[in-house]
Amino acid sequence: MASAAFEEIVEDFEFLEDWEERYRHVIEQGKAMDPLEDALKVPATKVDGCASQVWLHPTITDGVFRFEGESDAMIVNGLIAVLRMLYNDLPVSDVTDVDAKSELARLGLNDHLSAQRSNGLAAMITRIRETAAAAA
């Protein structure tokens, strides 16, 4: 049930030979994102449970889910970019149906993130799912 944008990164990962190249690709995805406006970096958008500072700002327009985000860590910015590819532009009612763990496993992320990063990623996914569930 992954979006077309997420399928593109899955295809990109198939061509990258080792985890270091994939890691760099994730970081590059984060660098390509527009920064989150400072006015949106408030306690309400901050995600607890992350080793680094993370802010997610979801919006739902005409039943379509989207979010912006930013972190003070490069790899986490990349993970936010990956999550945006997974969830952005889905109908809000479909967001909670996404099996993020399985989809991200297709990228091999589960095997290569530290426990702290994995916990932070899980916290971001929980925030996204809770926001969508409350709006559905």
Side-chain angles (χ1 to χ4, degrees):
M1 177 168 158
S3 68
F6 187 78
E7 291 300 334
E8 285 181 29
I9 197 165
V10 170
E11 288 178 21
D12 290 346
F13 268 48
E14 289 173 0
F15 290 106
L16 299 173
E17 297 203 8
D18 61 29
W19 177 247
E20 285 186 31
E21 290 178 358
R22 291 176 177 189
Y23 195 81
R24 280 193 295 274
H25 188 63
V26 169
I27 289 172
E28 290 303 316
Q29 297 302 309
K31 287 180 178 178
M33 288 190 316
D34 290 332
L36 191 64
E37 294 176 32
D38 286 339
L40 296 175
K41 294 179 187 176
V42 296
T45 61
K46 189 168 184 203
V47 178
D48 293 326
C50 298
S52 55
Q53 303 242 16
V54 175
W55 299 271
L56 299 181
H57 180 255
T59 56
I60 298 162
T61 306
D62 297 327
V64 176
F65 182 85
R66 292 191 56 78
F67 78 93
E68 300 172 282
E70 187 175 336
S71 173
D72 60 355
M74 287 189 306
I75 187 62
V76 179
N77 255 349
L79 294 173
I80 292 168
V82 170
L83 289 176
R84 290 180 71 201
M85 290 177 216
L86 184 59
Y87 288 108
N88 275 4
D89 298 321
L90 290 178
V92 70
S93 59
D94 290 352
V95 170
T96 56
D97 294 336
V98 173
D99 184 348
K101 186 174 183 178
S102 293
E103 295 296 341
L104 295 173
R106 295 170 60 200
L107 301 177
L109 290 176
N110 302 343
D111 301 329
H112 296 282
L113 293 177
S114 69
Q116 283 185 319
R117 293 284 183 240
S118 293
N119 290 341
L121 183 59
M124 289 187 280
I125 292 166
T126 297
R127 173 69 65 91
I128 290 165
R129 292 174 57 85
E130 288 174 349
T131 301

